[in-house]
Amino acid sequence: MDRPVGAALRRRVSGVRTASPTAAAERYALPLLAAVTALLLALLFYYPIATVFVDAVVEDGRVTFGPLVEVVTDEFYLVRVVGFTAYQALLSTLLSVVLGLPGAWVLARFEFRGRDTLRSVTMVPFVVPSVLVAAAFYATFGANGTLNAALSALGLPELDLLPSLGAILVAHAFYNAPLVTRVVAAAWESVDAGAVETARSLGASRRRAFRDVVVPQLLPAVLTGATLTFVFTFATFAIPLALGGSQYATIEVFIYSARRQLEYGRAASLAALETGVSLSLMTLYLRYERAQAAERRGVRTLARQSLWPDSWNRERAVRRLAIAGYAVVVAFVFIAPIVSMLYASVSVDGRFTLDAYRFLLERQATGATFQVKPFPAIVNSLLFGAAALAVALPLGVAMGVLTTRRFRGRWLVDALSMAPLAVSGIVVGLGLLRGLVFGVEAFGYRFTVTGAVAIVAAHAVGAYPFVVRTVAPPLDRLDRALVESARALGASRARTVLDIELPLVWPGVVAGAAFAFAISIGEFDATVILAEGGGTYTMPVAVERFIGRRLGPATAMGTVLLAVTAASFVVIERVGGEFRG
């Protein structure tokens, strides 16, 4: 260790080298942190989910498994509902992998200006609200969308693409192809260059070396990306609801429908089936991820090539042509829908107008109390986002710290902590409604929470895993010599975490805060259940309400939602940068 770092460590821990009440409290800080984190997770997530499972097996106060048996023995639910949900998830996964792999190749194998920015942009779909994507796809592929406008201008017949399974699949690819890109690109960048060079020196051609050395190292990452994509698209709600209609309804849509008809046993049974599949796949993913992280440390990686080399040959020209073709596909799938939504918000029949925004202002001024108004939706979204951030950030940082400690059964704790990532917002919202909003009787009193508190809880549960996934990896990669030196100088575990580890991974904490706030702003699935019948609707709920009536106001509200989400990222990252300074 160099002298400046050693001196800094000694200064930071000099005050805690002797026994004191403060030092004693720090000794038990991490165990207490673990207990508080577990309690919050149990209250906000596991108890509501358990309530859903109880509804699936309890009927008239008796354990009969009646609701669950009714669903699993009904051919309609097994074939039409669960079967179609799995079918569209499989097709969505295949399409996402096909679109994501070329992006991984470009990011992993080529060096070019803007590469890091492009890599960061691949995270954007994770925080784009699903209902916003639905509005964007309506603006692009709907009967009056930009695609039909372009076809009409060219004298070609118009297409009727909504509702359709194809629109659902492309919308899912919008979300999940970037996920495949990031996972596979990270694996590609970790390929052992020594193994490739050895194969080449033994006479293998470039293609043979790629097939026999690189592909086996990429295949687990491809399967990981495919598994996560299947989990997310199996538990999809807003996209099929908006783009598929009743003809292409998934299990989530049927859960929502059963809840609206007050058939809680049926809704819970479908939710239990869906959650069982998702949790099983997510557990397999987490175990694989930990094994791969251990295997790839210290590997010498492949050098990236220049995207624009000094000399050209036929092979290089074909590669660049393929990249250009892929860029066109990316523009059509990922950029065109958002641009179409922005265009639709300021145009009617090809002419510029602000009528959609005037409609929002008029609705705010003259709308009835039961109608959705834009200003309360914006205020609610911001307040819920701030409250969810206040819960999700410390919860996620705490779990990130705990899951990077070394103890027996750590993988189980990691799996339990990441379970909210595999459970859909619809199921979480249903559980919170049944468990906390309806209330629970204890000590002769019925404990209940308001819909607003339940919405904050749902948002925090949905956002906190992203905080964990942005904080835990840099913590795990920290130079352990710094930590061990601090401990050797007398610092407690808690003081080491606060004074050494967290300051070094502060960019990850800021990124986690940005994700948590943006995810809360765009959360729709749980909110649409918990906000029904009250004044707690948010911007995504307002967009969905407008989609069902007029596209112009929906795209205008979607543009406002997009602007608020983008501004949230900018503000939080700037505040984080000033704090780091």
Side-chain angles (χ1 to χ4, degrees):
M1 180 188 307
D2 56 13
R3 291 183 178 180
V5 174
L9 287 175
R10 284 191 291 273
R11 284 195 301 271
R12 288 187 174 186
V13 303
S14 60
V16 295
R17 298 177 69 177
T18 58
S20 67
T22 301
E26 290 175 354
R27 180 180 179 183
Y28 296 103
L30 285 181
L32 181 61
L33 180 65
V36 171
T37 302
L39 180 61
L40 283 174
L41 276 178
L43 178 64
L44 301 182
F45 176 72
Y46 282 103
Y47 170 70
I49 298 304
T51 302
V52 173
F53 288 167
V54 168
D55 281 344
V57 299
V58 173
E59 196 171 21
D60 297 329
R62 296 180 296 107
V63 178
T64 64
F65 292 90
L68 186 61
V69 170
E70 180 184 351
V71 167
V72 298
T73 56
D74 191 317
E75 182 178 356
F76 172 80
Y77 285 107
L78 282 181
V79 177
R80 167 61 186 87
V81 180
V82 180
F84 172 76
T85 301
Y87 173 69
Q88 64 82 29
L90 178 61
L91 294 181
S92 298
T93 299
L94 293 175
L95 182 59
S96 298
V97 170
V98 169
L99 288 176
L101 288 180
W105 172 59
V106 172
L107 288 176
R109 299 298 301 123
F110 295 98
E111 190 66 56
F112 52 92
R113 181 176 297 179
R115 177 184 170 276
D116 291 339
T117 300
L118 180 61
R119 186 182 182 89
S120 299
V121 168
T122 60
M123 291 300 293
V124 172
F126 287 98
V127 294
V128 175
S130 57
V131 72
L132 180 60
V133 175
F137 271 70
Y138 255 100
T140 306
F141 303 112
N144 299 317
T146 53
L147 177 60
N148 278 335
L151 292 175
S152 178
L154 295 173
L156 298 175
E158 296 184 355
L159 299 176
D160 186 12
L161 299 179
L162 294 176
S164 70
L165 177 60
I168 294 174
L169 300 183
V170 175
H172 285 164
F174 175 93
Y175 274 109
N176 296 291
L179 169 65
V180 175
T181 294
R182 285 190 68 89
V183 172
V184 177
W188 214 320
E189 292 172 340
S190 301
V191 167
D192 188 355
V196 176
E197 293 167 358
T198 300
R200 295 282 287 154
S201 66
L202 293 175
S205 65
R206 183 176 298 175
R207 291 184 179 180
R208 181 69 180 273
F210 177 79
R211 186 188 68 189
D212 293 347
V213 178
V214 177
V215 170
Q217 297 186 56
L218 296 182
L219 187 57
V222 175
L223 294 177
T224 297
T227 300
L228 289 175
T229 299
F230 187 89
V231 169
F232 295 150
T233 53
F234 187 80
T236 184
F237 171 61
I239 296 298
L241 179 68
L243 303 181
S246 59
Q247 183 179 356
Y248 301 102
T250 60
I251 190 171
E252 290 268 295
V253 177
F254 276 93
I255 293 172
Y256 177 65
S257 176
R259 175 258 177 267
R260 298 195 69 178
Q261 297 171 15
L262 304 182
E263 297 177 349
Y264 292 109
R266 183 167 299 177
S269 300
L270 291 171
L273 287 176
E274 177 196 84
T275 304
V277 173
S278 299
L279 286 177
S280 300
L281 292 174
M282 186 59 69
T283 301
L284 292 176
Y285 156 71
L286 289 172
R287 296 194 69 172
Y288 160 79
E289 183 188 52
R290 190 169 296 281
Q292 291 298 112
E295 289 177 4
R296 288 177 176 165
R297 289 174 180 166
V299 173
R300 183 169 64 87
T301 60
L302 295 169
R304 286 191 289 269
Q305 308 170 23
S306 173
L307 187 61
W308 308 106
D310 296 332
S311 60
W312 290 83
N313 56 35
R314 182 177 179 180
E315 182 180 355
R316 288 175 176 172
V318 171
R319 287 183 179 179
R320 274 59 184 186
L321 185 61
I323 293 173
Y326 177 67
V328 173
V329 175
V330 167
F332 182 75
V333 174
F334 300 104
I335 300 176
I338 299 298
V339 173
S340 295
M341 184 192 70
L342 298 176
Y343 175 73
S345 71
V346 294
S347 66
V348 174
D349 297 329
R351 59 182 177 82
F352 177 80
T353 178
L354 296 177
D355 287 349
Y357 294 94
R358 293 192 188 97
F359 174 86
L360 295 183
L361 294 177
E362 291 173 1
R363 170 61 64 85
Q364 178 62 42
T366 63
T369 56
F370 63 87
Q371 291 179 314
V372 172
K373 299 180 181 181
F375 186 70
I378 296 172
V379 172
N380 287 339
S381 292
L382 294 175
L383 291 177
F384 292 154
L389 176 61
V391 177
L393 186 62
L395 191 65
V397 170
M399 189 56 69
V401 170
L402 295 173
T403 54
T404 54
R405 306 302 97 172
R406 300 292 185 266
F407 58 90
R408 182 176 298 178
R410 186 179 64 160
W411 73 269
L412 179 61
V413 173
D414 197 11
L416 291 174
S417 70
M418 295 306 295
L421 197 61
V423 179
S424 74
I426 282 288
V427 178
V428 172
L430 181 64
L432 287 169
L433 180 70
R434 297 287 287 163
L436 297 183
V437 176
F438 287 0
V440 57
E441 291 187 3
F443 309 107
Y445 182 78
R446 190 168 191 83
F447 295 91
T448 62
V449 302
T450 63
V453 172
I455 290 174
V456 170
H459 289 194
V461 165
Y464 116 92
F466 289 88
V467 180
V468 178
R469 304 320 288 177
T470 55
V471 173
L475 277 176
D476 212 25
R477 291 193 298 265
L478 278 181
D479 184 359
R480 305 312 300 176
L482 295 175
V483 178
E484 292 166 2
S485 297
R487 295 299 307 279
L489 291 170
S492 64
R493 288 185 177 181
R495 179 58 64 88
T496 302
V497 169
L498 291 175
D499 288 354
I500 306 299
E501 297 185 55
L502 288 184
L504 292 176
V505 300
W506 185 250
V509 176
V510 174
F515 274 111
F517 189 81
I519 287 170
S520 174
I521 290 289
E523 208 287 327
F524 172 75
D525 296 5
T527 309
V528 77
I529 284 183
L530 297 170
E532 284 194 355
T536 52
Y537 51 84
T538 58
M539 285 188 286
V541 175
V543 172
E544 190 270 338
R545 295 290 188 267
F546 289 139
I547 286 179
R549 292 162 178 81
R550 295 173 60 187
L551 182 60
T555 56
M557 196 70 217
T559 301
V560 174
L561 174 56
L562 183 63
V564 172
T565 303
S568 303
F569 260 103
V570 173
V571 170
I572 291 178
E573 293 214 0
R574 286 192 175 182
V575 171
E578 293 174 1
F579 187 86
R580 287 198 303 273

